Amino acid sequence: SAPYVLPSGFVESSCHSRIFWMKLNKLLLQGKFFQLEINDPYAGPILLDEKLASRCGYVLSEDVWGNPIFRASVLGCHVANEADELFSLTVNIKVSSFSSMRAAVTYTYPMYCSYSSWASREIVCEENYMEVSVKTDVPAVSNDYTVAWMSALPETQNVAYQLWQLMFVSPSGRKTITVSDAAKLGYSFNNTLSRVYLRAPYHSNESDVSVVSGVNMNMVTSTSMYRQRWLLLLIDTTVSCPVDGISFTDTTLTWTVPSVIPTLVVQESTFLSKNIFMGVDGRVIANPEEKNYLLEDNETHIRITIPVGAEGGQLKSSVSGGVYGVIYSIDLFLEHTWTDADWQTTKYTVIKSITTPFMPQIPTVINNTLPEERLFNVAFGHFLPDVSLVAITIGNVPFTLREAQHHGFKIYETPFSNRTKGFILEVSFDDPYILKEYVNRNETKYTLLINYTISVGPEMTLYYHSAEVECVIADIELPEALGYCDEENMFLAIPTFGLHQYWNLYLGNKLLNRHVALTNGYLAATNSTHLILQIPLFAVGVIYEEVSFQKIKARFDVALRKVRTMETLQMFSVSCSFNSSAFIICHPDGTITVSAQMKTVPAIDMSKTKLRDSSCKPREYSDGHAFFKFHVTTCGTSVRFEGDHIIYENEISYEKETLPGQSTPTITRDPDYRLTVLCYYRAKETLVLGASISDPSTSPPFGSGTMVPRSNIAVHRRIRQALNVVSRVSKDESFVEFYEPNMPILKQPVEPVFLEVELKDENPNVELCLENCWVTRSLDFNSTPRWNIIVDG
C-alpha cells in the first residue's frame, strides 16, 4: 500500500549514545494493530521480529506509559553508514484495524544520527543483546612479529587470507568459526571503515556467567582475527554485561553495576574512571539530585537509587489475589567512560527497564463525618489516576454511580498528595439504608456499611473493598413524666416519643402493656403526645409509703427500660396523700393494714374490737373507726389456697359486755359485729415473711410444721351429751393407710393433708358438722401462730 502522511504527534525520535530512539503515541494506536518494517536500501522492507531484533541490534518494547518504543544501534543491520559519522535508518510503520494487518496504512519514517566522537572501545548492553565495537586503525604489525604471533597462537596459522574469523574462549574450551557460521548462532560481526563490531545474544553457548562485586555478568570472550599477506589482525572483542543487580525496598529501587569489570580491564591498576552519566527514558539527567535520584560510585560499584513513584517513572495500579497494590516502572540507562593502559578510552552504556514487584497498598477509609450536620463524610483512598469508582453498595443494596446520585448519595473525587486521589461519599444519618441503634442513655449509633467496587488499570480489573463507619451522637431526649392525683387516683402522663422503639414501661419486672394495665385496674389513654395512666389508690402495684388512721401516703412507680438490654433509664413516680375512712391494704411483706368503719346501732366501743387472737387490738380508733396492723403469721390469721392464689383471712369482732345471769345464757346490750378481712397473694410471687431465729437444733425449718394427730377427742358441743368423734391423718387420697397416732408428720407448705373425722355415735338424730380445723406449732391448740385449714365449715 502507498505510504501516508504521518499524523501529527504520532512519532517522536532522537539519537543518543549512538542509538536511534523512536516512540509511537499509544493514543493514536488505540483499538488498532501495528507492525514495524526495516527499510533496507538494497533489499527493501524486512519485517521486524524477535530473532532479527537481537541479531541486528534492534529493540521493540514499551515505555512505562505503554507507548511502543523502537531502538536501533547505529551499527545495526540495514543502517546506512557514511564514514562512521552519519547514520540513517528508515522504518515503515504499518497500522491496521485488523490483527491480520489487512487494509494496513503504511507510514514511512526516516531517522538520522550523527556520531563522530567514537571511543577506542564502545560497549552497549541492551535489553536483548550485547554489542562491542573497536577501532581498527591500529599500527600494522611487521611480518617478523607475525611469525612470533603465529607460533604463540596456533589457531592463527589457520586464519584464512582476507577473511574475518572469530575465536571464542569459554569454560568448554576454544572455538574458531567463520563470521557466517557465527551469524547462524545469533551473532553479528562486521567491520566498517574504521571499526569492527560484534553483537552477541545473552546466554549463548559461548557465553559464561561470572559474579563481579556481587552482580551477575554475562560475558562473551572473543578475539576477531584477520590475515592479509604481511598483516595479521587480532582484535579483542570481549563483551560483558550485567544481568541483574536490581534490589528493592518498600520505598526505593536500587540498580548496581560494577565499576571495574576484570574481563574488560586487564590491568586494573591503570584503571581511571572519567565520566558517569545516568539517564531516564532516553534523556541524560544532568542533575539527578533535583529529581530525588541518587547516583553514587566508589572503587567497586556504581549505584543508582530511585524513590518509588519518582518523576520519570510510572506507578501503575494492580490487583493481585484480591489485594490492591501498585507497580513502579522506570527506563534507566547508565553511561560510564574510563581509560586504562590497554585501551585508551572505553565507553560503557547499559540500558535497563526496571519494574518493581507488586507492592500491596491497602486503601484507607478516612472518617470525616460531621455529627453536627448529621452527615457521614467518608474518604476512600489513596489511588493512582488509573483507578475509577464504578459501583457502591450501601447496606446490602447495590448502586451504580448514577443510581447512587439519584438516590441522594453524594459521590465525588478529591485530589490527594503525591499525585493520588480519593473518592468522597456523603450520606445523611437519616437515610433509610443507614443502620440505627439506640445506645447508652440518650444516644444513637449510626452505622454506614459500604462496599466499594473499583476498576483498576487499563485492564479494568475489579477490586472490592468493604468498610464500616460508625458515629454515636446524643440526639435522643429522655422523656420526663408528669404526675398528679385526684381524690381516689394517681395519674402519670408520659411522652409517647420513643415508646416501644427505644424503651418500654415496666411495672417491677413485668412489661406494662395494655393487657397488664387492664388486669391491674389501670386506665390508659393516649393523645398525640402523651400516654396518660390512671391508677386507682388500691390497684395492684401501688406502694404504700405511710399508712395511718384514716390517711394513706401512696406512690406508684414505673420504670423506663431500654427495649434491647432492659437497662433502667428512668423511674417515673407519682406520690400523693389520701384521706380514706375504710380500707384494707395487703403489703408485699405480709403486713395487713385495715381501717374499719363500723356503723352499728347502738354504736359500739371501737377500743374493744379485736382480731381472732383476742390480744390483737386496734392500733388507733375513734367513733366508728378502728385501725389494725398485723402480719399474716400472727393474730390467728388463717391461710388457704384457691387456684393460683393464697388467701389470708382474719376477722374483726367485738367483745360484748355481758351481764351475769342465774343460768347459762348471758344478757348483752351490744349488737353482734363480725368483719372478715381477706388478703389475696399470687402463689408464684414471693412473700417476705418475718422470721425470728432460734436454736436451729430445736426449731423446725422455715415453712414446715408439725401436726400431731389426736384420737378419741371428746368435743363438747352440748353439755348434756358427749359424742364419740375420732380423727385420723391419711397417707394419701385413698384413705386406706393412716399415720400412727401421736406420730410427727412433716409437710411442705403447699402439700395437701388428708384428714378423716369419724362420728362413732349410732344415734340417727345426730349428724357430724366440721366447724373449724387448724394447725399449730405446739401441742397447745390455742398457741400462736396458727394456720387455719377450715373455718366456719
Side-chain angles (χ1 to χ4, degrees):
S1 56
Y4 288 79
V5 177
L6 276 167
S8 176
F10 182 35
V11 182
E12 286 182 43
S13 65
S14 62
C15 178
H16 175 72
S17 195
R18 67 179 182 78
I19 293 175
F20 294 104
W21 299 65
M22 183 179 78
K23 179 193 295 186
L24 304 182
N25 190 336
K26 70 173 182 180
L27 298 177
L28 298 177
L29 288 171
Q30 281 185 344
K32 296 184 177 173
F33 303 88
F34 80 97
Q35 287 180 346
L36 290 187
E37 291 177 337
I38 307 301
N39 221 337
D40 188 276
Y42 307 103
I46 300 168
L47 185 64
L48 180 63
D49 58 27
E50 285 186 22
K51 193 172 182 182
L52 176 72
S54 65
R55 188 173 61 82
C56 284
Y58 304 139
V59 175
L60 181 60
S61 64
E62 288 186 348
D63 67 8
V64 295
W65 291 275
N67 297 302
I69 294 291
F70 171 72
R71 289 193 299 270
S73 167
V74 295
L75 299 176
C77 311
H78 323 295
V79 176
N81 182 343
E82 294 183 28
D84 285 339
E85 291 184 0
L86 295 175
F87 306 90
S88 61
L89 176 66
T90 302
V91 178
N92 290 336
I93 307 165
K94 301 181 72 173
V95 180
S96 172
S97 299
F98 307 97
S99 58
S100 63
M101 297 305 295
R102 62 185 176 89
V105 174
T106 301
Y107 303 103
T108 299
Y109 189 78
M111 291 184 287
Y112 304 94
C113 203
S114 173
Y115 188 73
S116 56
S117 56
W118 288 94
S120 301
R121 176 175 60 176
E122 298 211 359
I123 295 174
V124 174
C125 299
E126 255 287 10
E127 290 183 26
N128 58 345
Y129 68 85
M130 304 181 288
E131 182 183 270
V132 56
S133 72
V134 179
K135 277 188 178 182
T136 55
D137 56 352
V138 294
V141 179
S142 67
N143 192 48
D144 296 336
Y145 289 101
T146 302
V147 175
W149 272 96
M150 292 176 69
S151 62
L153 293 172
E155 290 86 351
T156 61
Q157 298 177 20
N158 300 321
V159 175
Y161 280 100
Q162 298 182 339
L163 187 65
W164 285 99
Q165 289 181 279
L166 300 173
M167 181 176 67
F168 295 100
V169 180
S170 65
S172 59
R174 296 182 178 183
K175 177 168 43 173
T176 303
I177 57 175
T178 62
V179 171
S180 57
D181 288 337
K184 295 174 184 176
L185 298 175
Y187 296 93
S188 181
F189 177 87
N190 211 336
N191 65 307
T192 65
L193 184 65
S194 60
R195 305 184 75 80
V196 294
Y197 63 86
L198 173 69
R199 194 175 301 112
Y202 286 93
H203 308 298
S204 65
N205 290 334
E206 294 74 34
S207 69
D208 187 20
V209 175
S210 63
V211 179
V212 179
S213 299
V215 178
N216 284 317
M217 306 291 292
N218 193 239
M219 172 178 61
V220 174
T221 304
S222 66
T223 302
S224 303
M225 301 180 293
Y226 184 80
R227 185 178 180 189
Q228 183 176 4
R229 290 191 67 190
W230 310 112
L231 180 66
L232 175 62
L233 278 178
L234 300 175
I235 300 174
D236 184 1
T237 47
T238 296
V239 63
S240 181
C241 287
V243 292
D244 55 18
I246 310 296
S247 61
F248 304 98
T249 69
D250 290 341
T251 56
T252 61
L253 62 88
T254 301
W255 179 28
T256 303
V257 177
S259 295
V260 182
I261 303 164
T263 54
L264 302 181
V265 182
V266 178
Q267 300 182 59
E268 289 189 32
S269 61
T270 65
F271 172 85
L272 182 62
S273 177
K274 290 292 189 180
N275 290 307
I276 300 174
F277 295 109
M278 68 166 288
V280 174
D281 197 27
R283 296 178 179 87
V284 173
I285 305 298
N287 298 300
E289 63 280 356
E290 291 181 359
K291 298 183 180 293
N292 291 324
Y293 306 152
L294 180 61
L295 173 62
E296 51 189 348
D297 66 284
N298 55 31
E299 293 179 357
T300 58
H301 295 91
I302 301 170
R303 184 173 287 117
I304 297 174
T305 302
I306 307 289
V308 170
E311 181 185 348
Q314 193 206 25
L315 275 170
K316 177 185 173 187
S317 298
S318 182
V319 176
S320 177
V323 177
Y324 173 80
V326 297
I327 294 170
Y328 179 68
S329 301
I330 189 167
D331 294 332
L332 298 175
F333 73 83
L334 174 69
E335 189 173 283
H336 183 198
T337 304
W338 73 77
T339 62
D340 62 81
D342 297 302
W343 300 90
Q344 294 172 4
T345 307
T346 298
K347 184 183 286 186
Y348 188 79
T349 304
V350 189
I351 299 172
K352 196 78 172 176
S353 291
I354 302 174
T355 298
T356 66
F358 175 80
M359 296 180 288
Q361 289 195 352
I362 307 302
T364 55
V365 174
I366 305 164
N367 184 4
N368 298 320
T369 294
L370 305 169
E372 64 279 2
E373 296 183 19
R374 299 181 60 80
L375 186 71
F376 280 110
N377 182 295
V378 182
F380 182 44
H382 297 65
F383 293 105
L384 298 177
D386 59 355
V387 167
S388 58
L389 179 64
V390 294
I392 197 166
T393 298
I394 304 295
N396 292 316
V397 183
F399 295 90
T400 64
L401 293 191
R402 179 174 292 182
E403 290 169 344
Q405 299 278 11
H406 180 73
H407 175 79
F409 303 140
K410 193 173 180 183
I411 303 173
Y412 54 93
E413 285 190 8
T414 184
F416 289 146
S417 59
N418 298 327
R419 302 190 301 276
T420 60
K421 68 178 181 180
F423 304 101
I424 304 292
L425 170 67
E426 292 183 358
V427 182
S428 168
F429 285 1
D430 303 310
D431 189 273
Y433 296 113
I434 297 297
L435 302 180
K436 303 170 185 69
E437 181 186 358
Y438 172 52
V439 295
N440 305 323
R441 285 181 59 82
N442 62 336
E443 295 174 328
T444 306
K445 180 170 76 174
Y446 297 92
T447 304
L448 171 62
L449 299 177
I450 324 166
N451 198 319
Y452 296 93
T453 302
I454 302 291
S455 176
V456 177
E459 304 85 6
M460 296 186 177
T461 308
L462 293 182
Y463 167 72
Y464 305 95
H465 188 92
S466 58
E468 181 175 322
V469 181
E470 294 179 352
C471 186
V472 178
I473 58 172
D475 60 352
I476 294 176
E477 186 176 345
L478 287 179
E480 294 292 338
L482 175 66
Y484 54 94
C485 301
D486 62 14
E487 291 182 355
E488 298 179 346
N489 303 278
M490 291 177 281
F491 295 88
L492 268 178
I494 302 168
T496 52
F497 167 77
L499 269 182
H500 315 306
Q501 178 186 1
Y502 301 134
W503 42 68
N504 282 318
L505 297 176
Y506 276 80
L507 185 63
N509 287 321
K510 186 178 292 185
L511 177 67
L512 182 56
N513 52 29
R514 287 194 174 274
H515 173 72
V516 171
L518 192 64
T519 305
N520 289 357
Y522 312 152
L523 291 178
T526 55
N527 58 27
S528 59
T529 59
H530 285 76
L531 165 70
I532 293 98
L533 277 176
Q534 177 182 336
I535 307 100
L537 173 60
F538 297 111
V540 176
V542 174
I543 300 164
Y544 302 97
E545 297 178 308
E546 183 184 332
V547 180
S548 60
F549 190 45
Q550 297 186 351
K551 182 182 177 182
I552 301 172
K553 185 179 180 183
R555 189 181 85 239
F556 183 73
D557 295 336
V558 175
L560 187 74
R561 293 187 178 180
K562 292 171 70 170
V563 169
R564 288 182 59 188
T565 64
M566 299 278 290
E567 176 191 348
T568 300
L569 301 170
Q570 300 263 72
M571 289 297 296
F572 298 143
S573 296
V574 55
S575 179
C576 295
S577 295
F578 296 87
N579 295 318
S580 182
S581 57
F583 58 83
I584 175 171
I585 297 174
C586 307
H587 296 269
D589 64 353
T591 301
I592 300 175
T593 52
V594 183
S595 179
Q597 186 177 22
M598 304 179 184
K599 294 180 180 180
T600 59
V601 179
I604 60 176
D605 184 356
M606 300 306 293
S607 67
K608 296 182 179 180
T609 56
K610 64 178 180 65
L611 297 175
R612 280 180 180 157
D613 185 337
S614 59
S615 65
C616 295
K617 299 288 188 179
R619 298 280 183 98
E620 295 181 68
Y621 57 88
S622 65
D623 293 342
H625 285 87
F627 177 72
F628 291 88
K629 183 176 181 180
F630 59 96
H631 196 269
V632 294
T633 58
T634 63
C635 298
T637 308
S638 63
V639 62
R640 69 176 186 270
F641 296 88
E642 284 188 11
D644 60 350
H645 282 82
I646 302 174
I647 303 172
Y648 293 93
E649 181 177 331
N650 210 316
E651 184 179 85
I652 301 173
S653 60
Y654 173 67
E655 293 182 357
K656 298 178 182 180
E657 290 185 355
T658 58
L659 296 173
Q662 299 299 318
S663 58
T664 303
T666 58
I667 300 170
T668 178
R669 298 171 54 199
D670 295 327
D672 190 27
Y673 182 85
R674 296 174 74 183
L675 179 65
T676 301
V677 176
L678 298 172
C679 265
Y680 294 80
Y681 290 92
R682 287 191 178 274
K684 293 182 180 178
E685 291 183 354
T686 303
L687 180 64
V688 182
L689 298 174
S692 60
I693 299 174
S694 59
D695 184 357
S697 62
T698 59
S699 62
F702 177 76
S704 65
T706 302
M707 182 180 290
V708 183
R710 297 174 62 86
S711 57
N712 299 320
I713 298 175
V715 180
H716 303 279
R717 297 200 63 178
R718 291 187 177 91
I719 297 174
R720 293 185 299 271
Q721 185 178 8
L723 299 178
N724 188 10
V725 178
V726 177
S727 67
R728 296 185 294 177
V729 180
S730 173
K731 292 184 176 180
D732 56 33
E733 67 268 22
S734 65
F735 291 91
V736 174
E737 291 187 60
F738 295 87
Y739 291 103
E740 292 295 323
N742 299 318
M743 173 185 174
I745 303 168
L746 187 67
K747 290 286 184 180
Q748 297 299 322
V750 294
E751 270 189 274
V753 178
F754 302 98
L755 292 174
E756 180 186 87
V757 182
E758 183 181 0
L759 178 65
K760 295 290 188 180
D761 203 304
E762 296 180 355
N763 187 340
N765 296 320
V766 177
E767 61 181 22
L768 177 65
C769 295
L770 187 60
E771 183 179 25
N772 295 300
C773 180
W774 67 94
V775 180
T776 63
R777 280 184 172 179
S778 69
L779 293 176
D780 180 4
F781 292 169
N782 293 318
S783 66
T784 58
R786 84 176 196 176
W787 290 270
N788 291 314
I789 298 174
I790 298 173
V791 179
D792 279 351

